[in-house]
């Protein structure tokens, strides 16, 4: 009888504790990393419940539900970040925190996705339902719970990321001015014959250590290592801040700038006008030089805002999973999209069309098979049995597939095509990450230039993603390629621009693209509201307003005394309607009735609106509403002096 009473008394507390320990335990199982502070901090809900004692009621239950939801969601996201990239919250994680990423997770890893949701549901339910027992010092237990929350790795990681985001733009004035002065030179053909074609292949997370014949107990990439030795092989390409994930790698290598901003990543990418980065990105410059520019990749184009950026930066054709999957076997797709052998087969067809067209071209590609955590093996490849189930098998096959494709390119055009091979970024968390960490000081990006006119050379000049575009332009025979905002050709300079100028990690960490885009030029205070496409044009840039599923988006627009746009961005929390004189709001609202009770908007009769609306104006001086079904152009007046 007594034992039964003890079970009824302590079992709920034990289940509650187990539910909150489940996430650090899951991370330990998947990564082998203990995170002891997280285990300790996961006891916070137990101390809270014990401290509140047997009290119930709506208020106490609501408090526990809110507490559990906030801490539970933060912990869940933190566990995903640790599992996928081996570190806590950062720009890279929140850049990809959107609908397409969630869709991929549920499609590719349904068991893991539903397990995480089940853990979260259990945490919330048990925290709300379980009651403690009478204690002599309930306040002490609640205080302990509070302290544990504050030192919890998910919470401290989130705070650290928030602080780092707030610091963007705080200390980069000199760097911003230096970059603005450099700009980007417009490349000019040398005039020595027809411009060269360019095939640029980004290899997913394929860092240079993958070429090591001994590190992984098997020579994984002998074909690719031999191929790269036939051209200019750059062996000291280092990761810089703002280049550490796929879209950052593509952006930085083509535009010569880090992808860093306090504005949401997808939103920033869709808004960038290449000319405002200092002159243009690679595809735009080549397009202006008469090139046909094509991008091909097997992943969803919405992922990471890829398609929007590529179309806006000079690619005349952007072919992602949506455009290509109708041409392939529907039963032969990975969770991320097309397998690499399929992508290369389609690229061969595209090459035939491009060569037949007769114009010079840029064909940029992105592989997928080496995507974390274990990669994907194309069915045309048969890796050794001992590599099965490991990223090593995908590395082995990527080496073969890339090499075969490059050989085919040169068979088609042995004289006038430059092939560029490079990592989009360093590898993220995979099963060989412990081996990579052992050689952390040796981790470098892969970067090589291959062409019949290029002499083989091993080049050990330090460089970054920012130096890639000017380097390949020089290799392709262009002149005037020397200056990209933070890059320069490694063929004609002793080192990359970042190393030459001594630009520090701290300076890059506080750099914000918004500071560069909003330069000292007078940008007229003109706004274009494009409701049908759910976007707005500010300072010469199109900005997506929906922010990946949010019901409303608010932009603060600051106008200087001349009537020019001096700043735009997302207002800080609590500032939505209390802004300084001269500040405008541009609001896209899907459900106007939600704002009908705002006294400052009473004259707009929003309850009668039949669809989404734009709201524009100064809260203190009156707002205007516009039907989002129409295209509207507005001029903003300068603030009163």
């Amino acid at each position: 009888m007594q034992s039964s009473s003890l079970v009824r008394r302590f079992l709920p507390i034990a289940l509650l504790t187990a539910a909150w320990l489940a996430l650090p335990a899951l991370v330990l199982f998947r990564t082998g990393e203990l995170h002891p502070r997280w285990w300790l901090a996961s006891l916070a809900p137990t101390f809270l419940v014990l401290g509140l004692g047997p009290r119930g009621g709506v208020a106490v239950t609501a408090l526990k539900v809110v507490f559990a939801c906030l801490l539970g969601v933060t912990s869940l996201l933190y566990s995903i970040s640790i599992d996928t990239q081996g570190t806590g919250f950062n720009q890279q994680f929140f850049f990809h925190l959107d609908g397409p990423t969630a869709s991929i997770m549920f499609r590719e890893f349904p068991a893991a996705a539903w397990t995480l949701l089940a853990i979260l549901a259990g945490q919330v339910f048990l925290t709300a339902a379980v009651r403690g027992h009478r204690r002599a010092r309930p306040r002490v237990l609640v205080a302990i719970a509070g302290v544990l929350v504050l030192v919890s790795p998910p919470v401290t990681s989130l705070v650290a990321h928030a602080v780092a985001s707030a610091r963007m733009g705080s200390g980069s004035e000199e760097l911003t001015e230096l970059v603005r002065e450099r700009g980007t030179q417009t490349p000019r053909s040398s005039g020595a014959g027809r411009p060269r074609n360019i095939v640029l292949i980004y290899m997913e997370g394929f860092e240079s250590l993958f070429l090591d014949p001994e590190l992984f107990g098997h020579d994984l990439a002998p074909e690719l290592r031999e191929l790269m030795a036939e051209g200019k092989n750059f062996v000291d390409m280092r990761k810089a801040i703002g280049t550490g994930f796929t879209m950052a790698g593509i952006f930085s290598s083509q535009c010569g700038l880090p992808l860093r901003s306090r504005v949401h990543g997808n939103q920033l990418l869709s808004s960038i006008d290449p000319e405002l980065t200092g002159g243009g990105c690679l595809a735009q410059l080549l397009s202006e030089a008469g090139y046909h520019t094509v991008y091909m990749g097997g992943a969803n184009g919405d992922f990471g805002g890829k398609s929007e950026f590529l179309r806006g930066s000079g690619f005349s054709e952007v072919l992602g999973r949506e455009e290509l999957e109708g041409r392939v076997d529907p039963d032969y797709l990975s969770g991320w999209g097309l397998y690499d052998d399929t992508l290369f087969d389609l690229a061969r067809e595209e090459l035939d069309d491009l060569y037949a067209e007769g114009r010079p071209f840029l064909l940029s590609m992105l592989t997928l098979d080496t995507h974390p955590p274990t990669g994907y093996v194309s069915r045309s490849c048969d890796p050794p049995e001992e590599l099965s189930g490991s990223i090593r098998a995908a590395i082995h096959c990527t080496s073969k597939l890339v090499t075969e494709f490059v050989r085919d390119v040169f068979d088609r055009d042995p004289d006038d095509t430059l092939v560029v091979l490079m990592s989009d970024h360093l590898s993220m968390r995979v099963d060989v990450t412990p081996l990579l960490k052992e050689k952390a000081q040796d981790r470098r990006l892969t970067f090589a230039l291959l062409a019949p006119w290029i002499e083989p050379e091993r080049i050990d000049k330090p460089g970054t993603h920012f130096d890639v575009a000017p380097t390949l332009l020089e290799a392709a025979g262009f002149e005037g390629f020397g200056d990209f905002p933070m890059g320069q050709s490694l063929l004609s300079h002793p080192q990359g621009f970042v190393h030459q100028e001594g630009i520090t990690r701290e300076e890059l960490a506080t750099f914000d693209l918004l500071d560069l885009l909003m330069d000292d030029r007078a940008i007229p205070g003109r706004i274009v509201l494009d409701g049908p496409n759910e976007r707005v044009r500010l300072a010469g840039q199109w900005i997506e307003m929906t922010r990946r599923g949010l019901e409303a988006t608010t932009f603060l627009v600051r106008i200087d005394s001349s009537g020019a746009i001096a700043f735009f961005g997302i207002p800080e929390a609590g500032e939505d309607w209390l802004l300084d004189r001269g500040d405008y709001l541009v609001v896209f609202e899907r459900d106007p009735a939600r704002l009908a009770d705002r006294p400052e908007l009473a004259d707009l009769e929003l309850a009668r609106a039949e669809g989404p609306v734009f709201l524009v104006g100064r809260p203190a001086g009156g707002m205007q509403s516009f039907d989002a079904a129409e295209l509207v152009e507005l001029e903003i007046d300068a603030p009163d002096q």
Side-chain angles (χ1 to χ4, degrees):
M1 194 74 174
Q2 186 177 4
S3 62
S4 176
S5 176
L6 288 174
V7 169
R8 287 196 303 271
R9 182 175 181 179
F10 292 107
L11 181 60
I13 296 296
L15 291 175
L16 170 66
T17 303
W20 284 94
L21 291 174
L23 286 177
L26 188 62
V27 168
L28 172 63
F29 172 76
R30 288 186 55 84
T31 69
E33 299 176 359
L34 184 58
H35 298 278
R37 190 158 52 92
W38 191 9
W39 285 79
L40 177 63
S42 295
L43 298 176
T46 301
F47 280 99
L48 176 67
V49 168
L50 291 174
L52 292 175
R55 287 175 292 181
V58 174
V60 172
T61 301
L63 170 65
K64 293 197 291 184
V65 168
V66 171
F67 171 85
C69 286
L70 292 176
L71 183 59
V73 170
T74 304
S75 299
L76 183 149
L77 295 177
Y78 180 77
S79 69
I80 294 174
S81 182
I82 291 291
D83 185 67
T84 55
Q85 56 179 3
T87 188
F89 294 127
N90 53 22
Q91 182 196 27
Q92 170 181 320
F93 179 80
F94 288 103
F95 187 98
H96 295 98
L97 189 61
D98 56 17
T101 306
S103 175
I104 290 171
M105 182 175 180
F106 276 93
R107 182 175 62 244
E108 182 65 10
F109 309 106
W114 287 111
T115 297
L116 290 175
L117 287 182
I119 291 173
L120 177 62
Q123 290 172 338
V124 175
F125 172 77
L126 289 169
T127 303
V130 174
R131 296 186 182 183
H133 306 283
R134 294 190 180 278
R135 296 286 178 180
R137 297 181 179 179
R139 293 182 180 177
V140 173
L141 296 175
V142 173
I144 292 174
V147 172
L148 290 177
V149 168
L150 292 177
V151 301
S152 170
V155 174
T156 57
S157 178
L158 184 62
V159 171
H161 170 69
V163 171
S165 297
R167 291 177 61 239
M168 287 187 192
S170 64
S172 60
E173 291 85 356
E174 292 184 5
L175 177 58
T176 300
E177 189 58 35
L178 173 64
V179 170
R180 185 178 295 145
E181 290 176 357
R182 281 175 59 82
T184 302
Q185 294 183 9
T186 300
R188 302 180 303 277
S189 174
S190 64
R194 179 181 180 275
R196 267 73 182 255
N197 305 308
I198 302 171
V199 176
L200 170 56
I201 304 174
Y202 292 98
M203 300 180 292
E204 167 64 40
F206 202 104
E207 61 180 84
S208 63
L209 282 179
F210 289 172
L211 301 168
D212 190 314
E214 300 177 353
L215 180 61
F216 305 102
H218 192 287
D219 191 356
L220 301 180
E223 305 88 358
L224 194 58
R225 187 173 60 252
E226 178 183 335
L227 176 68
M228 293 174 63
E230 297 174 12
K232 303 287 188 189
N233 185 13
F234 297 83
V235 298
D236 197 12
M237 299 295 291
R238 307 178 186 184
K239 173 188 173 182
I241 288 180
T243 67
F245 53 99
T246 294
M247 270 318 304
I250 292 176
F251 174 82
S252 59
S253 62
Q254 300 210 11
C255 302
L257 286 164
L259 187 59
R260 296 278 294 175
S261 178
R262 54 190 178 272
V263 173
H264 184 270
N266 290 333
Q267 217 171 24
L268 177 69
L269 276 176
S270 65
S271 73
I272 287 175
D273 181 340
E275 292 188 2
L276 293 180
T277 64
C281 298
L282 176 67
Q284 181 196 26
L285 297 172
L286 290 175
S287 179
E288 293 173 353
Y291 275 63
H292 186 169
T293 52
V294 181
Y295 168 85
M296 297 184 73
N300 187 315
D302 287 338
F303 183 70
K306 191 186 304 109
S307 289
E308 289 178 277
F309 164 71
L310 293 171
R311 290 192 179 97
S313 64
F315 282 93
S316 56
E317 293 183 65
V318 177
L319 306 176
R321 174 175 179 161
E322 303 89 336
E323 293 80 14
L324 297 174
E325 63 182 344
R327 298 163 56 183
V328 304
D329 180 355
D331 296 325
Y332 183 51
L333 294 169
S334 73
W336 285 98
L338 278 63
Y339 283 90
D340 284 351
D341 58 357
T342 302
L343 177 67
F344 284 127
D345 285 343
L346 294 174
R348 289 180 176 92
E349 296 176 11
E350 187 70 25
L351 276 174
D352 290 337
D353 293 340
L354 290 169
Y355 282 125
E357 184 181 7
R359 291 171 58 191
F361 63 80
L362 165 66
L363 173 61
S364 182
M365 302 169 60
L366 172 64
T367 68
L368 277 180
D369 282 2
T370 46
H371 199 285
T374 57
Y376 304 88
V377 176
S378 293
R379 63 186 177 190
S380 63
C381 182
D382 185 22
E385 182 65 29
E386 62 267 26
L387 304 183
S388 179
S390 167
I391 191 70
R392 296 182 301 160
I395 296 170
H396 173 82
C397 290
T398 293
S399 171
K400 288 180 175 293
L401 292 172
V402 170
T403 301
E404 290 171 0
F405 178 75
V406 173
R407 301 292 187 201
D408 284 349
V409 170
F410 291 136
D411 286 344
R412 284 169 167 78
D413 180 17
D415 300 319
D416 290 316
T417 298
L418 169 69
V419 175
V420 183
L421 302 178
M422 73 170 300
S423 318
D424 57 346
H425 52 75
L426 295 179
S427 178
M428 297 183 188
R429 197 193 70 79
V430 291
D431 59 289
V432 299
T433 294
L435 295 174
L436 297 176
K437 286 184 175 180
E438 290 177 6
K439 305 195 73 172
Q441 298 302 315
D442 298 326
R443 298 185 70 177
R444 296 291 187 271
L445 301 162
T446 299
F447 180 41
L449 304 175
L450 303 162
W453 63 88
I454 288 180
E455 293 294 327
E457 183 181 5
R458 186 178 186 274
I459 299 176
D460 59 1
K461 301 175 181 178
T464 66
H465 277 86
F466 315 138
D467 304 306
V468 168
T471 302
L472 73 85
L473 284 172
E474 180 175 1
F478 281 91
E479 297 175 347
F481 50 78
D483 286 347
F484 267 60
M486 289 192 194
Q488 59 192 20
S489 174
L490 293 171
L491 295 176
S492 53
H493 292 82
Q495 57 188 334
F497 182 74
V498 167
H499 296 89
Q500 172 184 294
E501 298 297 320
I503 297 173
T504 66
R505 181 180 178 85
E506 175 69 15
E507 288 176 309
L508 288 175
T510 58
F511 179 80
D512 191 330
L513 275 173
L514 277 184
D515 295 333
L516 179 62
L517 300 180
M518 301 309 301
D519 64 14
D520 293 332
R521 292 172 293 173
I523 301 177
R526 183 179 300 112
I527 295 177
V528 180
L529 309 176
D530 183 4
N533 293 306
E534 298 185 349
R535 60 181 186 168
V536 62
R537 191 167 179 83
L538 291 170
Q541 303 167 71
W542 284 112
I543 301 171
E544 182 185 4
M545 296 296 289
T546 55
R547 294 182 65 199
R548 303 295 176 196
L550 294 185
E551 289 298 313
T553 298
T554 302
F555 262 83
L556 177 154
V557 184
R558 187 157 293 154
I559 309 299
D560 66 18
S561 59
S562 69
I565 293 178
F567 170 84
F568 69 87
I570 300 173
E572 298 294 332
E575 288 189 330
D576 280 353
W577 306 97
L578 302 175
L579 304 171
D580 295 333
R581 184 182 64 178
D583 291 344
Y584 268 70
L585 287 180
V586 178
V587 182
F588 177 77
E589 175 58 67
R590 287 184 176 278
D591 183 10
R594 297 192 311 169
L595 303 177
D597 60 348
R598 303 286 304 238
E600 61 268 55
L601 304 177
D603 295 340
L604 301 182
E605 298 183 341
L606 295 175
R608 299 185 181 182
E610 297 180 355
V613 298
F614 278 104
L615 306 178
V616 181
R618 298 187 185 94
M623 303 282 288
Q624 292 178 276
S625 65
F626 299 91
D627 186 346
E630 302 174 356
L631 186 72
V632 179
E633 296 189 24
L634 301 172
E635 292 284 346
I636 302 178
D637 296 329
D640 296 332
Q641 299 300 306

